Amino acid sequence: MMNRFLALIVMAMLSLSIEAKAQSNEWIVDRFDDIKVLRYEVPGFEDLTLKEKLLVYYLGEAAKSGRDILYDQNFKYNIAIRRTLETLYKSIAERETKDFYAFEKYLKKVWFANGIHHHYSNDKFQPEFTEGWLREQLKKHLDNSTRLMPDNLLCAILFDPELYPSRLDQTAGVDVILSSANNYYENLTQAEVEAYYAALATVHADDPTPISYGLNSKLMRSDNGTITELVWRVGGMYSPAIEQIVYWLEKAATVANFMQRRIINTLIDYYRTGDLRTFDLYNILWVSDNSSKVDFVNGFIETYGDPLGRKASWESIVNFRDERACRRTELLTEYAQWFEDNAPIDPAYRKAKVKGVSAKVITAAMLGGDCYPATPIGINLPNADWIRKEHGSKSVTIDNITYAYDKAAEGNGFMEEFVLREEDRERMRLYGKLTDDLHTDLHECLGHGSGQLAEGTKGDELRTYYSTLEEARADLFALYYLGDQKMVKIGLIPNQEAAWANYAKYIMNGMMTQLARIEEGKDVQESHMRNRKLIAEWCYEHGKQDNVIEIVERMGKKYVVVNDFQKLRNLFGELLREVQRIKSEGDYAAGSALVERYAVKINPELHREVLERYNALHIEPYSGFVNPEYSLVEDEEGKIIDVKLSYPRSYIQQMLGYGEDYSFLPNEN
Ligand code: ZN
């Protein structure tokens, strides 16, 4: 396309100023396309005991060992493609060419997305180097041992836009299984997959503690026509990588405390058997451990990558508690029952007794799988509804990550461009970080955990709309309570005005600025983005009579302005009531109507304007991170006496290094 080509030509001119900008902010280590890569610091690591440091180290190795799993889950040729591109990257000597420059950028994007489809939009990347150039390099630099797939196949996958165009297609009306390129299903239609799991659900209809059917397996039709599940476990699919994970978990168990040793051993047991009952047991143990300083997530956890929300991608985060910041979340959990009892929802759908809500602020020490390089800023687990109800859930806000985001954004001109009123900008400067963090705390630790299902509702009725509506529910809970006087009373925010900083930003983002992340002509696909648009647009329409939210035009530019924050808060409450009802009753028709009406379609004129204004600022809409590095320090006798932490500054070096040291799966699985 024209703008891509032009971009290449002006790249040389731009690169100077971009580099100058990059150097001016020490938190940014790389930038390319729509991505910037940041680094994060791990304050407090030095203060851990040797055992805790070793636990971080071993769990960190386990976190890196599953990297290939995610590549393969995202698309079955991803590992072979990545290896081929890395071989070329290391072999090509002539690097001062336009094609090589574009090739390097493409490879950086593949690393970032853990595959050839964009991590957020799910669309396949379009190479900006030519097919002729690539074929020449393949011929020149590959031999029998390094050629992992036929050149023709590789080129077809990379260059043919019709082939595997989307990793995750949720367009209404299409067969989401057939049209999604991910590797969770093979030779099956959506109807067949749905029938397969519906049959399982019928058999186990009376089970009060249902396992998460299909969570850790690939479902496929084999050549003889039977449908089988290939379970991800030692001895099953992805065994070589899982064996490595288990190896490091075993090491971790040797330095863990009594409770954690039991947790880790149960996880190992699950990886060995693939038994989802054992995974549930692991989750129950894990959620009850609130006292260990070091904690971790490791497993097949989130289901955003499966259009049917059943198969989980592999991920890991190693972290430890940030004691000082934890006071914030302790206060929230102290009042958890009060928040539940006062939620603006049908009393029938409130939890009578909020159980085991725990929330903490953590410092991330290692990111892996689906948390790397793009990473969440908050997590609430486990996902199984019955475990949450019986045993509670654990919520974390990752403070060193949000801190790095904040630092990297300083002085980028975004607020000046998109926030019209100085009073809003001032509030955002004063209370932006505080209320963003609180929003995440409320969303993760109370929002997702709140409410209950009606008798007879199973929880899977909302199907492809579940993720969006569940995120909306958690966000609405957070928004509603952020503006509550209670927050001032218990000392979490200095005054109600602080909440308005978050409201103004949320609405602006939902209606406008988040569109910068979407390519022109495309719909909103990702569930968190859909959720924000749903909330903002719904409030805009329902507050129109009172002019609660207004689109103001100044000098040819549009701005989203909130005129009445109190009324906006009431609208949040109203919508929360409806979304909770939809979840509790499993009302698919109402849920799909809400999402399709408010969350998916973009006004093309507004979209173009946002893209133009955003691009003029040269801010990349997506960020991710390089990991710190840890190394063991030994004394003369070979005894480990310390773990040393360092901060690498090269994204390329880290990715190439991971490709060499943490790549355990065959090209095809
Ligand atoms: Zn969420």
Side-chain angles (χ1 to χ4, degrees):
M1 291 243 321
M2 195 62 194
N3 55 352
R4 288 186 186 280
F5 212 74
L6 244 177
L8 265 179
I9 296 165
V10 297
M11 190 82 71
M13 293 189 287
L14 274 179
S15 65
L16 241 183
S17 65
I18 286 176
E19 231 163 72
K21 215 172 156 189
Q23 275 161 3
S24 75
N25 193 323
E26 50 150 1
W27 292 83
I28 303 173
V29 299
D30 209 340
R31 37 204 320 179
F32 46 90
D33 210 62
D34 56 355
I35 306 283
K36 63 178 171 294
V37 180
L38 318 177
R39 65 193 185 86
Y40 63 95
E41 290 183 345
V42 191
F45 181 77
E46 307 301 332
D47 304 329
L48 298 179
T49 65
L50 179 58
K51 266 194 169 176
E52 288 164 346
K53 285 180 183 175
L54 278 170
L55 188 54
V56 167
Y57 177 83
Y58 294 137
L59 291 171
E61 292 302 303
K64 288 180 275 188
S65 297
R67 182 168 179 255
D68 274 359
I69 296 175
L70 181 67
Y71 273 83
D72 193 77
Q73 287 180 316
N74 282 343
F75 179 50
K76 65 177 174 177
Y77 296 110
N78 270 340
I79 295 177
I81 292 172
R82 189 197 72 213
R83 286 180 179 149
T84 304
L85 300 183
E86 286 173 355
T87 303
L88 288 184
Y89 186 80
K90 288 185 246 181
S91 313
I92 297 171
E94 203 189 332
R95 293 179 168 235
E96 304 292 308
T97 68
K98 202 177 75 184
D99 281 311
F100 181 80
Y101 197 84
F103 172 75
E104 182 182 74
K105 179 165 132 190
Y106 182 84
L107 181 54
K108 284 180 177 181
K109 286 160 70 171
V110 169
W111 284 328
F112 194 90
N114 294 288
I116 61 166
H117 300 88
H118 194 281
H119 75 290
Y120 219 79
S121 75
N122 305 310
D123 296 331
K124 193 170 76 175
F125 295 130
Q126 298 262 324
E128 292 165 75
F129 48 91
T130 65
E131 186 172 342
W133 178 86
L134 180 68
R135 282 184 182 275
E136 208 177 292
Q137 307 305 321
L138 290 168
K139 210 177 282 164
K140 222 189 308 186
H141 299 292
L142 296 188
D143 55 28
N144 281 341
S145 70
T146 50
R147 179 165 279 101
L148 308 177
M149 59 201 297
D151 291 1
N152 282 342
L153 177 61
L154 176 67
C155 287
I157 292 173
L158 260 52
F159 290 97
D160 182 352
E162 308 285 308
L163 205 54
Y164 307 113
S166 173
R167 176 168 68 86
L168 170 68
D169 189 349
Q170 294 188 292
T171 315
V174 307
D175 184 315
V176 295
I177 295 301
L178 288 181
S179 58
S180 298
N182 63 49
N183 195 20
Y184 293 123
Y185 305 95
E186 198 162 317
N187 279 333
L188 291 165
T189 65
Q190 180 177 351
E192 287 170 325
V193 172
E194 283 177 337
Y196 179 88
Y197 286 108
L200 273 184
T202 314
V203 172
H204 301 280
D206 300 327
D207 187 351
T209 61
I211 56 167
S212 307
Y213 293 99
L215 185 78
N216 65 335
S217 66
K218 173 173 173 173
L219 190 70
M220 67 180 296
R221 179 195 301 285
S222 44
D223 295 336
N224 65 16
T226 53
I227 298 179
T228 41
E229 283 194 290
L230 305 178
V231 179
W232 305 325
R233 62 175 171 86
V234 172
M237 194 171 173
Y238 300 144
S239 187
I242 296 174
E243 285 164 42
Q244 288 293 323
I245 296 168
V246 166
Y247 170 85
W248 289 111
L249 288 176
E250 281 175 335
K251 291 252 182 203
T254 64
V255 290
N257 62 38
F258 179 78
M259 178 66 188
Q260 260 185 328
R261 198 171 316 136
R262 213 180 141 206
I263 295 170
I264 292 170
N265 284 332
T266 309
L267 179 61
I268 291 171
D269 199 20
Y270 158 65
Y271 274 135
R272 289 215 170 107
T273 59
D275 184 348
L276 287 167
R277 291 253 171 244
T278 310
F279 181 59
D280 283 349
L281 175 62
Y282 155 75
N283 277 312
I284 291 165
L285 292 171
W286 177 80
V287 83
S288 68
D289 175 23
N290 290 305
S291 54
S292 300
K293 174 88 177 173
V294 177
D295 203 356
F296 69 101
V297 174
N298 183 309
F300 302 101
I301 309 290
E302 302 288 0
T303 56
Y304 302 112
D306 173 3
L308 296 180
R310 197 171 280 281
K311 310 285 172 194
S313 60
W314 190 86
E315 69 174 39
S316 183
I317 287 191
V318 184
N319 63 79
F320 54 89
R321 191 207 314 263
D322 178 342
E323 306 290 352
R324 213 156 18 131
C326 274
R327 185 70 199 123
R328 201 173 76 208
T329 49
E330 275 161 16
L331 265 175
L332 282 183
T333 47
E334 222 176 290
Y335 289 95
Q337 190 66 54
W338 185 91
F339 285 111
E340 185 75 17
D341 294 344
N342 289 280
I345 59 175
D346 187 328
Y349 303 141
R350 288 182 196 143
K351 268 201 181 83
K353 195 152 174 31
V354 179
K355 261 185 226 168
V357 171
S358 85
K360 57 183 180 177
V361 181
I362 59 163
T363 303
M366 185 61 75
L367 310 167
D370 220 356
C371 297
Y372 170 86
T375 180
I377 51 173
I379 301 177
N380 176 286
L381 290 173
N383 284 327
D385 255 326
W386 74 266
I387 300 180
R388 303 168 72 89
K389 206 170 158 201
E390 302 285 315
H391 303 276
S393 62
K394 207 146 81 173
S395 270
V396 300
T397 308
I398 313 174
D399 242 27
N400 60 330
I401 294 294
T402 51
Y403 183 76
Y405 274 131
D406 243 48
K407 284 290 167 192
E410 265 173 19
N412 65 12
F414 176 82
M415 279 217 285
E416 290 71 16
E417 178 60 39
F418 287 103
V419 184
L420 178 66
R421 297 185 305 208
E422 172 54 27
E423 60 193 271
D424 285 319
R425 287 200 290 261
E426 181 63 12
R427 270 198 293 262
M428 287 177 197
R429 273 192 290 270
L430 283 173
Y431 309 118
K433 166 88 169 103
L434 171 72
T435 53
D436 279 358
D437 287 345
L438 271 173
H439 180 110
T440 311
D441 294 339
L442 281 162
H443 173 112
E444 297 293 348
C445 100
L446 299 180
H448 278 307
S450 72
Q452 65 178 3
L453 303 182
E455 198 88 28
T457 304
K458 282 202 282 300
D460 59 2
E461 290 85 353
L462 302 176
R463 296 189 298 188
T464 53
Y465 297 104
Y466 178 82
S467 294
T468 299
L469 291 164
E470 178 56 18
E471 292 310 324
R473 200 176 68 84
D475 259 2
L476 286 162
F477 195 97
L479 289 162
Y480 180 79
Y481 277 122
L482 204 52
D484 199 303
Q485 285 293 355
K486 186 85 178 173
M487 298 292 284
V488 184
K489 238 180 253 161
I490 61 180
L492 280 167
I493 53 174
N495 51 56
Q496 218 182 10
E497 289 256 303
W500 305 160
N502 194 267
Y503 281 19
K505 199 166 134 190
Y506 191 93
I507 296 296
M508 172 184 79
N509 188 37
M511 287 181 73
M512 227 177 137
T513 46
Q514 70 165 352
L515 303 180
R517 295 173 165 206
I518 295 173
E519 241 179 271
E520 206 174 334
K522 293 263 157 67
D523 290 341
V524 184
Q525 291 270 4
E526 200 277 336
S527 41
H528 295 82
M529 290 180 80
R530 281 188 167 187
N531 129 52
R532 289 179 209 124
K533 186 163 182 300
L534 165 61
I535 292 173
E537 300 274 4
W538 188 93
C539 290
Y540 174 66
E541 193 178 291
H542 287 75
K544 224 168 192 170
Q545 236 182 356
D546 298 327
N547 204 22
V548 175
I549 300 167
E550 191 180 356
I551 296 176
V552 179
E553 215 165 319
R554 284 284 150 77
M555 321 260 277
K557 289 179 179 179
K558 290 192 189 69
Y559 299 87
V560 175
V561 170
V562 176
N563 289 320
D564 192 329
F565 288 104
Q566 287 290 1
K567 281 200 175 127
L568 177 59
R569 179 167 182 261
N570 296 340
L571 290 170
F572 289 148
E574 255 177 65
L575 184 55
L576 175 57
R577 186 183 176 91
E578 172 62 2
V579 173
Q580 180 64 55
R581 183 198 66 76
I582 289 171
K583 179 181 181 183
S584 293
E585 297 172 7
D587 187 344
Y588 177 83
S592 72
L594 260 188
V595 174
E596 292 298 337
R597 168 145 188 201
Y598 297 104
V600 181
K601 294 285 171 211
I602 306 173
N603 173 342
E605 201 186 312
L606 180 68
H607 194 186
R608 199 169 313 123
E609 180 186 325
V610 171
L611 284 171
E612 275 170 17
R613 288 164 63 186
Y614 196 85
N615 291 341
L617 296 171
H618 298 294
I619 307 170
E620 300 79 2
Y622 302 101
S623 308
F625 293 87
V626 289
N627 274 319
E629 268 159 26
Y630 301 88
S631 53
L632 300 177
V633 183
E634 295 175 355
D635 67 7
E636 291 101 71
E637 277 112 57
K639 204 174 138 242
I640 298 166
I641 49 167
D642 200 6
V643 180
K644 231 183 85 195
L645 162 69
S646 60
Y647 300 111
R649 298 301 303 254
S650 168
Y651 172 67
I652 294 177
Q653 288 311 319
Q654 179 154 90
M655 287 300 181
L656 288 175
Y658 282 5
E660 278 161 18
D661 301 336
Y662 300 96
S663 189
F664 302 112
L665 291 183
N667 296 308
E668 270 188 71
N669 291 277

